[in-house]
Amino acid sequence: MRKMLSLISSALRLSAGRTGSRVVVSARTYADFTPQATFDIKKCDLHKLEEGPPVQAVLTREEGLQYYRTMQIMRRMELKADQLYKQKIIRGFCHLYDGQEACAVGIEAGINLTDHLITAYRAHGYTLTRGGTVREIMAELTGRRGGIAKGKGGSMHMYAKNFYGGNGIVGAQVPLGAGVALACKYQGKNELCVCLYGDGAANQGQIFETYNMASLWKLPCIFICENNRYGMGTSVERAAASTDYYKRGDFIPGLRVDGMDILCVREATKFAADHCRSGKGPIIMELQTYRYHGHSMSDPGISYRTREEIQEVRSKSDPISMLKDRMLNNNMASVEELKEIDVEVRKEIEDAAQFATTDPEPPLEDLCNHIFHNEPPLEVRGTNPWVKLKSVS
C-alpha cells in the first residue's frame, strides 16, 4: 500500500490581546515544493591542479533543511554560550564559531562519519557535526558531569568518535592529524583525516614539517586552513608575507574555497576526499570565512576591525541567510517551515542550557579517571606524596 507523502509545515502564532487570541496556520503539502535544484557556485582557485571541484552543485530539499537546522543549532548554541559566559556560568577560555558554520557543516557533508577529524580550540561546531549533542556540549562548557568530556575538558577539549579535539596549543593538532592519517593508510580502510587549523597557526614551523612528511608518505590527509582573516587581533595582511594559504604546501596541491557558502565547501571537500582516497596523497584547502565574535570571549572583536565591517559580512555573506535565500527563492521550503525550525532550535538550546546549569559537577573522586583506556585501576599521586587518588579506565 502506497504511503502518502505529505509534509505539513505549520506556523502557529499566538498573539494575546484584549480581544482574545489569534491563531494563524499555514500549511502546504510536500508536492508543492521543489525536491531538488542546481545552483551555480564560485569557482575555486587552484594550485598544482589541472581541474578543480564543479562550479555547479545539486541540493535536495532534505539536504537543505538538514543543513539549515544544523547551522542554526550552531549559531544559537554559540550565542547562548556567549550569554552564559557573560553571566559567569561558563569560565575560562571560550572561542565561538558563529559566522563560520558553513565550514563545519559543509566539510561533514563531503566526508563520511567513518573518516576522522581534528581541529584547534574553536571546536564547538565540529563536536556537533561529529555526533555530539547540544546538551553534552553545553554541559561541557559549564564543567558538568553530563558534558561530552565528563566536565573535564571545557570549551577547547571536546571529543567524539573519530573526532580528536579540540586542541589548545596553536598548530599542534596538525602533526597529530598526520599521525591519524598514517593510521588510516596503515589500516587500509580507505579512510582519511581532515586536519583543521586557522590562519593564525599557518606560519607555525610544525605545519611545514608535517606537509613534508605527509607528502613523502602520501598520507590521506586534507589540511584545511580556516582563514577568518584575523589571527587573534592581527589581520592576515600584517601577519603573513603570503596570504595565499592554499599555496603554502608548495609541492602539495591546493584549493581556495568560498568558506561562507556551504555548497562550495561541500563540493570542494568531496573533491579533496576523492583526491586522498585515490592514493595521490595530501591536499590543502583554504576556506575564506569570517567570525562574528572576537577571537575569544575576552576579545570584544572591535579594536582591530570596525562594526561596519562585521555588519557588511553579515548582510552580504552570512552562510545561513545564503542557504535560506536559495531555498526560498527556488520554492524548496516555505518561510513558515523555516520559522518552525527556528522555534524548535531555540527550544533545544534553552533545554540544553537548563541541563547545563543544573547538572551536578563531577565529584572529586572522578578527577583522575580515564588516564588509560581499558586498564585495571591504578593509584595516582595527589597534590602531595601523602594524598593518593584512584584512576579507573
Side-chain angles (χ1 to χ4, degrees):
M1 179 179 179
R2 179 181 293 178
K3 290 184 180 177
M4 190 177 192
L5 293 173
S6 75
L7 186 63
I8 304 296
S9 91
S10 56
L12 297 176
R13 295 180 193 156
L14 302 176
S15 61
R18 291 181 182 174
T19 56
S21 297
R22 178 171 58 92
V23 180
V24 179
V25 179
S26 171
R28 291 166 68 182
T29 63
Y30 182 83
D32 291 334
F33 295 114
T34 305
Q36 72 175 41
T38 302
F39 298 96
D40 293 328
I41 55 176
K42 186 178 177 182
K43 185 179 180 181
C44 295
D45 297 320
L46 307 179
H47 172 65
K48 289 194 178 294
L49 289 166
E50 292 183 4
E51 59 182 48
V55 292
Q56 287 190 324
V58 175
L59 177 70
T60 68
R61 173 177 144 79
E62 287 74 19
E63 287 171 343
L65 291 173
Q66 184 57 52
Y67 299 161
Y68 180 82
R69 180 184 292 272
T70 306
M71 288 199 291
Q72 278 287 29
I73 289 173
M74 273 186 204
R75 177 73 55 88
R76 291 289 163 190
M77 181 173 70
E78 298 297 61
L79 294 178
K80 178 55 72 172
D82 171 277
Q83 182 184 337
L84 294 177
Y85 197 96
K86 288 169 178 172
Q87 293 172 0
K88 297 187 178 180
I89 296 171
I90 296 173
R91 299 295 191 107
F93 292 106
C94 187
H95 306 81
L96 302 182
Y97 199 67
D98 50 322
Q100 300 184 207
E101 295 89 354
C103 297
V105 182
I107 289 167
E108 196 61 57
I111 59 173
N112 306 320
L113 274 172
T114 51
D115 291 320
H116 307 261
L117 191 144
I118 187 168
T119 188
Y121 38 75
R122 203 176 301 280
H124 308 163
Y126 290 100
T127 309
L128 182 72
T129 58
R130 290 269 90 188
T133 67
V134 181
R135 278 167 65 102
E136 290 174 327
I137 295 167
M138 295 301 292
E140 190 58 42
L141 288 172
T142 57
R144 306 306 172 104
R145 196 165 57 188
I148 198 161
K150 302 186 187 300
K152 299 179 185 180
S155 171
M156 299 193 293
H157 304 290
M158 300 185 187
Y159 309 90
K161 186 172 175 59
N162 298 331
F163 175 56
Y164 306 87
N167 293 268
I169 306 300
V170 174
Q173 72 278 7
V174 179
L176 293 177
V180 175
L182 175 61
C184 292
K185 183 172 183 177
Y186 185 80
Q187 292 173 350
K189 295 179 182 177
N190 203 27
E191 296 170 357
L192 57 84
C193 183
V194 173
C195 184
L196 293 123
Y197 55 97
D199 53 276
N203 300 314
Q204 285 269 323
Q206 58 188 325
I207 290 180
F208 295 91
E209 294 175 43
T210 305
Y211 286 166
N212 183 61
M213 192 179 294
S215 186
L216 279 172
W217 293 348
K218 287 195 169 2
L219 300 183
C221 191
I222 307 175
F223 295 108
I224 300 183
C225 175
E226 288 184 289
N227 176 9
N228 59 23
R229 292 166 48 178
Y230 297 94
M232 296 187 73
T234 306
S235 67
V236 292
E237 292 81 13
R238 292 178 59 216
S242 169
T243 57
D244 292 334
Y245 296 105
Y246 71 110
K247 294 181 179 179
R248 288 286 192 92
D250 186 14
F251 37 79
I252 299 176
L255 301 164
R256 182 158 60 192
V257 185
D258 181 357
M260 301 300 273
D261 183 348
I262 186 170
L263 296 183
C264 277
V265 177
R266 184 189 72 179
E267 295 306 312
T269 305
K270 286 180 178 178
F271 176 88
D274 289 342
H275 176 94
C276 288
R277 294 191 211 280
S278 64
K280 295 177 183 175
I283 189 168
I284 295 172
M285 283 170 58
E286 175 190 343
L287 302 183
Q288 293 185 308
T289 184
Y290 198 82
R291 55 170 164 79
Y292 296 153
H293 266 84
H295 170 73
S296 69
M297 284 302 297
S298 60
D299 168 24
I302 51 171
S303 59
Y304 49 87
R305 58 183 184 175
T306 63
R307 293 182 189 274
E308 289 74 25
E309 177 186 304
I310 302 168
Q311 190 53 44
E312 184 180 8
V313 176
R314 278 184 182 275
S315 61
K316 293 182 179 178
S317 306
D318 184 76
I320 299 176
S321 298
M322 196 183 303
L323 176 64
K324 180 179 180 179
D325 290 345
R326 277 175 169 158
M327 295 191 71
L328 292 177
N329 294 339
N330 288 271
N331 193 36
M332 299 178 78
S334 67
V335 173
E336 293 82 10
E337 185 174 25
L338 297 181
K339 281 184 178 176
E340 190 174 312
I341 290 174
D342 294 347
V343 170
E344 291 170 0
V345 166
R346 282 194 179 94
K347 185 179 185 309
E348 183 177 354
I349 300 302
E350 288 301 325
D351 290 347
Q354 178 67 22
F355 173 74
T357 52
T358 56
D359 192 48
E361 294 181 356
L364 181 62
E365 54 266 26
D366 285 359
L367 180 65
C368 293
N369 287 352
H370 312 114
I371 294 176
F372 298 108
H373 170 66
N374 201 24
E375 289 285 327
L378 69 150
E379 280 193 343
V380 179
R381 181 185 184 275
T383 53
N384 61 61
W386 300 277
V387 175
K388 299 288 185 182
L389 298 168
K390 185 178 282 191
S391 174
V392 180
S393 295

